[in-house]
Amino acid sequence: RHTVSVDENKCPIYKNHSKNKNLEIKNITLVGLRTTMGHQYGNSSYDIDGVGGIYIEKAKPEIVEGGNTCNNVRIENVLIAGSKAHGIYLDTPILSSIKNVRLSDCGGHGIFINGGTSILFENTYVSSSDMAGFCIYGSSYVSLNNCVAENGGIGFWIRSSFNVTLTSPGVEVT
């Protein structure tokens, strides 16, 4: 397992403009210190390039037409502890999965999926995110199996999405 640590004035971040369309992130630990930097009145603010943790953006973010996506992104066996903003942010993923992932102390959402289709979550645990544990926005055909959110603002926030399935979800002390 590869571990990346940062000091309190930086954000653990993996940033990729997904041009190759086949990205796999496995067996990595991102450890950062939770700070008040970027927090104002209980809300997260994003004053950094990227959002923290793992940030994967489509190849041409300025283009919103179809076909501009992140295809076949796989995130497995990852621990993110202490992210300034979102733990994982995926912009328009297609045929992608997040498996055996644990996130804690995220200043934004634990996991934020912005658009996309055919996305699978398995055995994913989010603890102590300031916003939602899982935010699924503008997405379709999403399956969340054995996923848990605890000690956050909202467990599962599903917005403007359709055909989303939660199987054995857990939400505790939010």
Side-chain angles (χ1 to χ4, degrees):
R1 184 173 285 264
H2 180 69
T3 301
V4 177
S5 296
V6 297
D7 67 35
E8 66 182 47
N9 296 318
K10 295 183 181 174
C11 180
I13 187 166
Y14 177 88
K15 183 175 180 182
N16 180 47
H17 293 277
S18 186
K19 294 179 183 176
N20 63 7
K21 303 295 184 190
N22 292 298
L23 175 66
E24 190 170 275
I25 299 173
K26 283 186 168 181
N27 305 318
I28 189 169
T29 299
L30 299 174
V31 178
L33 298 174
R34 190 79 183 275
T35 71
T36 56
M37 188 170 89
H39 287 74
Q40 297 172 353
Y41 306 109
N43 295 315
S44 298
S45 63
Y46 311 109
D47 56 356
I48 59 168
D49 183 24
V51 293
I54 297 173
Y55 177 85
I56 301 174
E57 187 173 65
K58 56 193 171 190
K60 296 181 180 178
E62 69 280 0
I63 297 175
V64 295
E65 290 89 31
N68 187 25
T69 61
C70 297
N71 296 341
N72 198 27
V73 173
R74 308 232 182 268
I75 300 173
E76 297 181 20
N77 304 319
V78 171
L79 167 65
I80 297 174
S83 178
K84 181 178 173 185
H86 306 310
I88 296 174
Y89 174 86
L90 298 180
D91 187 9
T92 321
I94 293 180
L95 297 171
S96 297
S97 65
I98 296 176
K99 296 180 182 179
N100 302 320
V101 171
R102 194 175 111 213
L103 301 104
S104 64
D105 296 315
C106 299
H109 299 299
I111 298 174
F112 184 8
I113 305 298
N114 184 21
T117 185
S118 304
I119 306 157
L120 173 65
F121 292 83
E122 286 186 329
N123 306 323
T124 301
Y125 177 86
V126 178
S127 175
S128 302
S129 59
D130 284 355
M131 299 173 94
F134 297 82
C135 180
I136 310 298
Y137 176 71
S139 303
S140 58
Y141 310 109
V142 179
S143 293
L144 296 103
N145 303 321
N146 281 347
C147 295
V148 175
E150 72 171 15
N151 295 325
I154 299 171
F156 296 85
W157 190 9
I158 301 167
R159 306 165 33 201
S160 303
S161 298
F162 64 95
N163 293 332
V164 176
T165 304
L166 281 74
T167 305
S168 300
V171 177
E172 302 174 6
V173 194
T174 58

